[in-house]
Amino acid sequence: MSSRTITIEPVTRIEGHARITLHLDEAGGVGQARFHLTQFRGFEKFCEGRPYREMPALTARTCGICPVSHLLASNKACDYLLRVSIPPTAEKLRRVMNLAQLVQSHALSFFHLSSPDLLLGWDSDPAKRNIFGVMAQAPALARDGIRLRQIGQTIIETLGGKKIHPTWVVPGGVNEALTPEKREAMLKMLPEGLEIAKRTYAFFKTLVPKFKDEADHFGSQPTLFLSLVTPKGNLEHYDGFLRIKDAQGRIVEDMVPAVEYERLVGEAAENWSYMKFPYFRPMGYPNGIYRVGPLARLNNVEACGTPFADVALAEFRMLQESGPIASSFHYHYARLVEMIFALEMMERLLKDLQILDARVRARARSNRYEGIGVAEAPRGTLMHHYRIDDDGLITWVNLIIATGHNNLAMNQSIRQVADAYVDGNNLQEGMLNRVEAVIRCYDPCLSCASHAFGQMPMLIELKDSSGQVLDRLSRH
């Protein structure tokens, strides 16, 4: 028997375009597994020459799912260029918007993209294994998902003027103070949102024991974990310090200022994907594999810092006898814990009397030639790094996207799942769905993650209608 290649294209129920290739050996086993990002964007290059104050609006257009994350990281980089400390109220308001973004994005991932597998089964009819199938089988759950996402998006719109690509966050803070009316409107929504999040969390806990086999094989190989933490080591999404833990739970790096990220993170490129391959620099490439996002954040923290989320965190840690939670399957669990935290924390921030203060922006001109902004996007740590000239024009940009941080781990995970479930001599659709499903655990945002690094390797193939390659052009 000759070797064969299985191609899964497109990978479904994710944001963006990708394919998976599984190269089978002569015995039908998996010899190689790769996750290919197939779209090219190039934001770093076409931002060059633009005024730095345009960067938040430009880079927010990287994605329609998580524009707030880019808006915040970009503005933090611009704050650094200005060399200003933004007003405390502006920071609180930015935090509220970031947490609302977390809620709507996590709700999209859990309810719309991943729940069809969890409710209908990996081997169910693919024509029904979607949000419409969930609506038919569990209409209350489907409505909860829609409402929870609506609450997050409405808070973003209330603060920023629109749900997608708001321009309310600006270098130096935000451009408009919060009114009492808007504050009360947001506070009225939060108890309902928290009840939905708690109800969904309780329901998901009943499902977890049914997926022990998946939890054992869905990206459970040892890696490092990277995230921001507060100075006390608690859960942080907007600011804080970088922390890295190893697979045994030992802290490898701690309280690293975000502007020193380059000491920790290196980047590599491969000729088969438009996504960069970040790695932990001291361990080298490709050995320095780490994960980011909700799973990494909960593994890294001492506590969440809000009542219900801390109870859920304690239960999350019971999934494994000791050490960090290893399985990427439990990204789903971690998202639900984070949604509870976000809703609790938004209420706490909005009830702070200072939240209505009129001083919400610090004004200055550029006072540095280099700016770095780091925040936690729903999918993980997001890094914006800019350089400018004397006229304030961008000369160089580097974006390290949350999904990119997970690139090595995602490739490792599909190999593990393929080894466990794919039989090349007796292929079944459900086997391949499990390979896709491990990618959905990471909730990749591929429009964000498509970037060039240096001289990006490129392969262009011209194929006829039968798929035969007529011509090939490559650049290395």
Side-chain angles (χ1 to χ4, degrees):
M1 181 185 297
S2 60
S3 61
R4 292 174 293 158
T5 299
I6 299 171
T7 301
I8 303 172
E9 187 174 17
V11 180
T12 59
R13 283 183 276 134
I14 61 171
E15 196 283 315
H17 305 284
R19 72 173 181 268
I20 293 171
T21 56
L22 306 176
H23 301 276
L24 306 182
D25 58 28
E26 293 186 357
V30 178
Q32 184 185 80
R34 284 177 172 172
F35 179 63
H36 308 258
L37 197 161
T38 57
Q39 62 191 105
F40 176 71
R41 308 289 300 288
F43 266 77
E44 287 96 337
K45 295 303 294 182
F46 67 66
C47 285
E48 291 178 7
R50 306 306 306 172
Y52 72 89
R53 290 182 181 274
E54 292 184 2
M55 291 302 289
L58 285 172
T59 57
R61 267 68 183 178
T62 308
C63 181
I65 302 297
C66 46
V68 169
S69 302
H70 289 283
L71 188 67
L72 289 169
S74 182
N75 273 293
K76 288 184 71 179
C78 291
D79 297 341
Y80 196 78
L81 287 169
L82 299 178
R83 203 185 285 263
V84 298
S85 296
I86 71 171
T89 299
E91 179 180 323
K92 290 182 172 66
L93 290 169
R94 285 184 178 186
R95 285 180 179 274
V96 173
M97 181 175 271
N98 196 32
L99 293 168
Q101 161 75 13
L102 189 86
V103 169
Q104 72 86 12
S105 181
H106 279 358
L108 175 66
S109 173
F110 180 80
F111 291 96
H112 294 75
L113 305 182
S114 291
S115 71
D117 295 321
L118 303 173
L119 288 174
L120 307 176
W122 316 102
D123 303 297
S124 58
D125 181 359
K128 298 179 180 179
R129 198 175 57 224
N130 50 47
I131 187 59
F132 298 105
V134 173
M135 292 167 63
Q137 179 158 322
L141 184 77
R143 284 195 296 270
D144 277 352
I146 292 169
R147 178 57 179 156
L148 199 54
R149 187 157 191 253
Q150 183 186 40
I151 289 171
Q153 292 283 60
T154 301
I155 291 173
I156 293 170
E157 183 179 29
T158 301
L159 291 171
K162 52 184 179 178
K163 297 175 182 178
I164 301 176
H165 307 315
T167 55
W168 171 73
V169 183
V170 291
V174 299
N175 66 13
E176 185 181 37
L178 183 64
T179 65
E181 294 76 17
K182 288 182 178 180
R183 176 198 193 193
E184 289 306 310
M186 291 186 287
L187 281 170
K188 284 181 180 179
M189 290 184 284
L190 293 176
E192 180 190 3
L194 182 57
E195 285 305 309
I196 292 173
K198 289 162 64 177
R199 182 164 64 238
T200 306
Y201 171 73
F203 168 70
F204 181 71
K205 285 195 298 181
T206 68
L207 294 181
V208 171
K210 301 177 183 179
F211 298 109
K212 184 181 182 306
D213 192 66
E214 283 77 14
D216 287 343
H217 297 99
F218 273 35
S220 60
Q221 294 157 318
T223 69
L224 302 167
F225 299 95
L226 167 69
S227 72
L228 291 173
V229 295
T230 71
K232 293 183 178 180
N234 289 351
L235 187 59
E236 176 60 80
H237 293 92
Y238 171 76
D239 205 13
F241 298 88
L242 293 168
R243 170 179 283 180
I244 294 180
K245 277 188 179 180
D246 66 15
Q248 289 71 46
R250 296 179 296 240
I251 295 177
V252 178
E253 295 279 356
D254 202 21
M255 298 298 135
V256 177
V259 295
E260 297 179 14
Y261 80 91
E262 289 178 294
R263 179 167 67 80
L264 305 181
V265 178
E267 299 177 85
E270 298 285 357
N271 63 4
W272 43 269
S273 179
Y274 286 119
M275 182 159 39
K276 295 184 289 188
F277 291 78
Y279 59 92
F280 180 49
R281 190 181 292 276
M283 292 179 63
Y285 179 80
N287 295 324
I289 181 171
Y290 61 89
R291 283 177 277 180
V292 299
L295 182 74
R297 289 191 286 256
L298 294 194
N299 276 333
N300 274 354
V301 300
E302 310 301 326
C304 291
T306 60
F308 290 110
D310 277 336
V311 171
L313 176 63
E315 293 176 337
F316 171 78
R317 288 174 171 163
M318 292 171 64
L319 293 169
Q320 196 168 298
E321 289 185 6
S322 63
I325 306 303
S327 176
S328 292
F329 177 80
H330 293 310
Y331 268 99
H332 302 309
Y333 199 123
R335 280 187 194 96
L336 296 176
V337 176
E338 284 201 322
M339 280 199 285
I340 292 172
F341 167 81
L343 291 155
E344 289 185 293
M345 184 57 73
M346 279 192 284
E347 184 173 38
R348 180 182 298 177
L349 288 165
L350 289 169
K351 286 183 175 179
D352 187 324
L353 295 178
Q354 192 184 41
I355 202 74
L356 296 176
D357 194 290
R359 297 181 181 182
V360 293
R361 186 172 185 182
R363 298 180 183 272
R365 58 167 293 168
S366 56
N367 290 297
R368 285 190 176 102
Y369 290 106
E370 198 159 3
I372 296 170
V374 178
E376 288 288 341
R379 293 153 184 84
T381 314
L382 173 63
M383 299 168 172
H384 280 229
H385 189 171
Y386 310 150
R387 292 177 188 150
I388 62 173
D389 61 18
D390 288 329
D391 296 317
L393 301 180
I394 293 289
T395 61
W396 178 87
V397 175
N398 190 35
L399 306 178
I400 307 183
I401 310 302
T403 297
H405 287 294
N406 281 329
N407 198 7
L408 281 170
M410 288 190 293
N411 277 275
Q412 184 186 62
S413 296
I414 61 170
R415 173 60 189 266
Q416 185 187 24
V417 172
D419 283 341
Y421 295 106
V422 174
D423 179 356
N425 298 316
N426 183 30
L427 278 178
Q428 304 291 328
E429 191 276 337
M431 298 176 184
L432 302 183
N433 184 43
R434 285 175 172 83
V435 177
E436 290 187 69
V438 76
I439 294 298
R440 289 192 283 269
C441 291
Y442 292 91
D443 186 28
C445 186
L446 300 179
S447 294
C448 292
S450 176
H451 297 278
F453 177 65
Q455 184 77 357
M456 186 72 182
M458 183 179 293
L459 175 64
I460 300 174
E461 290 183 335
L462 176 64
K463 297 181 180 181
D464 63 18
S465 58
S466 67
Q468 182 178 352
V469 176
L470 302 178
D471 198 5
R472 179 182 287 110
L473 178 66
S474 63
R475 184 188 73 191
H476 298 284

